[in-house]
Amino acid sequence: MLFTRIVDTSVAVGATRSRKAKTEALQTLLADLRPDEVETVVAWLSGEMTQGRIGIGWRTLSDIEADPVEQPVLTIAEVDDAIGAVASTSGSGSTKRRRDLLAELFGRSTRGERDFLVRLMTGELRQGALEGVMTDAIAKAAGLPLEPVRRAFMLSGRLSVTATAALSGGEQALAEFVLTVGRPIRPMLASPAETLAGAWTEFGGDVSVEYKLDGARIQVHRSGDEVHVYTRTLREITSGVPELVELIRELPCTSVVLDGETLALTDSGRPRPFQETMSRFGADSAHDLLLHPYFFDCIHLDGVDLLDEPLERRLDALDRVAPQHRIPALLRPDAESAAAHFDAALDAGHEGVMVKALSSSYAAGRRGRTWQKVKPEHTLDLVVLGAEWGYGRRTGWLSNLHLGARDPDGGPPIMVGKTFKGLTDALLQWQTDEFPKHERSRDDHTVYLEPDLIVEIELDGVQVSTRYPGGVALRFARVLRYRPDKTHAEADTIEAVRALLPTQSR
């Protein structure tokens, strides 16, 4: 197939807000691919390359001189081979050789194809939020129910691999994906709750109420003495957390997969700020700041997969293997005890509590109602769309933030408000230095950004508004912190924002 088909489909998907239209465009493309093209194309449309990151930056690509061709000639295989050649080039003279290979590829590309390639190679092809739409398209193209495709993606962690299996082997091939110790799966996510009492009542009190820590999500895998530690984005950090590796090797088991949080503590045992915990993942010395693990789920133990088991059984397994590292939790508390546990979490310096249905299975990669997070104030993880230049004392600094919620159907983020509250001088300086690196465009007043940066916003609620395209606006929004551990695809959706509307306004 010609490469231009992928480029045209990407443009078509980005040009519509209709989930149905996006799904149909992707389904049509998938149905026309040869089996050996599926993995590559799905990876590209998810903003990834099968070779991984190839170490080519925007400046290198923009300096390459090559006139575009008028008519498309490149095939999918030729483009993938060319990227592979660039990725595998190393050693003396590799810089010039890479430039020559890229110049040759660009010299055979149309203007639209080159634009697609530049965005793909620099990580700016914003298709990652299309996971749900792409999953639907894979199921439709393969003539399969949606659920087995979702489960295979959950277990493989790679949509491109899932697509290849679905289109070539159907449901039988998808069934071959199982939880594999050492291969991370996408973490289960929680939805915000309006109140603790409401979350407790929704499940009739048949819940676990756990501290919600202000730490970094980790997923731990162990088989024998081999240990792997992954972040919430499935990035492996094993070599940077030796204290966690040592601790996991001492657990009384031969194989285990645990889900939890890690954080740094002060000498008094209280949690350090989130930014200090995150700094450990990039520290020069692994022992600059010791990390402490707190686990809340066990999804595999000694050869037995527990994904489909109710949370209550998974917690029993966790108690058997790592009771000393459990997050403080109450099982089936009455309403008064749940409220007291919430207060205790806040007194200990944590964010609030999680309320989880004891009957819930582990829905990896999904944000469902069976896990709900309760905080004293509402918080949302939003995309920074831009920032206005400050005035008065803030003259010369990028200040007032434009905030967007994620479109679950893969469209651009939907603006829901602005704020300059909560910004310290240090954050203002950081924004002014960092934002131009993510610049999309600017005018006299505002620098507009690519949707790279996620910020956690505290707010009093939301209200109906005609000012912003999502029909809602944030009330009294304040910046809490930036979230370098989260990607655009993990930002809160416009539905999550609308869910905070007063009941009579929904």
Side-chain angles (χ1 to χ4, degrees), residues 6-184:
I6 287 76
V7 178
D8 291 344
T9 300
S10 178
V11 170
V13 166
T16 179
R17 297 194 73 89
S18 166
R19 184 183 182 97
K20 181 179 179 182
K22 293 177 190 289
T23 303
E24 289 177 350
L26 293 169
Q27 175 189 352
T28 300
L29 175 66
L30 292 173
D32 291 343
L33 293 173
R34 295 201 319 254
D36 61 338
E37 296 172 329
V38 173
E39 183 173 350
T40 299
V41 170
V42 173
W44 286 347
L45 290 174
S46 300
E48 302 172 349
M49 292 175 286
T50 55
Q51 299 84 0
R53 299 186 67 86
I54 61 175
I56 298 293
W58 172 264
R59 179 168 297 179
T60 298
L61 295 170
S62 61
D63 288 344
I64 293 174
E65 297 182 2
D67 294 329
V69 298
E70 293 297 323
Q71 297 298 321
V73 295
L74 286 169
T75 65
I76 293 170
E78 288 172 332
V79 173
D80 194 42
D81 288 345
I83 295 173
V86 173
S88 62
T89 299
S90 60
S92 177
S94 61
T95 300
K96 181 180 183 306
R97 176 60 180 155
R98 284 181 158 210
R99 290 177 63 89
D100 291 343
L101 288 168
L102 289 167
E104 181 181 351
L105 176 61
F106 287 175
R108 299 185 63 209
S109 305
T110 64
R111 193 174 301 278
E113 288 172 339
R114 176 169 177 163
D115 177 65
F116 181 95
L117 287 168
V118 168
R119 290 186 295 128
L120 177 64
M121 292 180 186
T122 56
E124 296 182 1
L125 188 65
R126 301 300 166 194
Q127 309 275 185
L130 275 175
E131 280 183 357
V133 178
M134 180 66 84
T135 305
D136 289 349
I138 292 167
K140 289 181 179 296
L144 296 174
L146 181 58
E147 193 52 42
V149 178
R150 280 180 173 168
R151 182 175 178 81
F153 178 31
M154 169 187 81
L155 293 168
S156 71
R158 295 176 59 195
L159 201 50
S160 56
V161 172
T162 304
T164 300
L167 292 166
S168 63
E171 200 161 350
Q172 183 176 351
L174 294 176
E176 294 178 7
F177 288 103
V178 295
L179 190 154
T180 301
V181 178
R183 183 176 68 192

Side-chain angles (χ1 to χ4, degrees), residues 382-386 401-405 413-419 455 457 468 474 477-479:
L382 300 175
V383 183
V384 181
L385 304 178
L401 300 179
H402 294 197
L403 302 169
I414 301 167
M415 192 168 178
V416 292
K418 300 180 182 181
T419 191
V455 64
I457 297 294
Y468 299 116
L474 310 178
R478 302 170 292 280
V479 172

Side-chain angles (χ1 to χ4, degrees), residues 256-312:
V256 72
V257 179
L258 299 172
D259 193 2
E261 300 263 347
T262 185
L263 68 164
L265 302 176
T266 65
D267 291 341
S268 63
R270 294 180 67 82
R272 290 181 180 271
F274 174 79
Q275 286 81 357
E276 293 188 28
T277 294
M278 288 303 299
S279 71
R280 250 305 302 277
F281 295 152
D284 293 332
S285 168
H287 293 284
D288 284 351
L289 199 63
L290 286 176
L291 295 175
H292 300 263
Y294 294 87
F295 298 114
F296 51 72
D297 218 318
C298 178
I299 53 182
H300 173 95
L301 180 60
D302 287 338
V304 179
D305 292 342
L306 302 170
L307 279 169
D308 298 322
E309 296 296 329
L311 174 61
E312 186 166 19

Side-chain angles (χ1 to χ4, degrees), residues 352-371:
V353 295
M354 300 284 291
V355 179
K356 301 178 180 179
L358 287 172
S359 60
S360 61
S361 60
Y362 193 94
R366 306 275 291 279
R367 191 184 297 277
R369 294 291 299 174
T370 56
W371 285 17

Side-chain angles (χ1 to χ4, degrees), residues 390-413:
Y391 55 88
R393 195 181 73 80
R394 295 188 175 189
T395 298
W397 279 337
L398 284 170
S399 176
N400 199 21
L401 300 179
H402 294 197
L403 302 169
R406 178 167 59 87
D407 180 353
D409 294 333

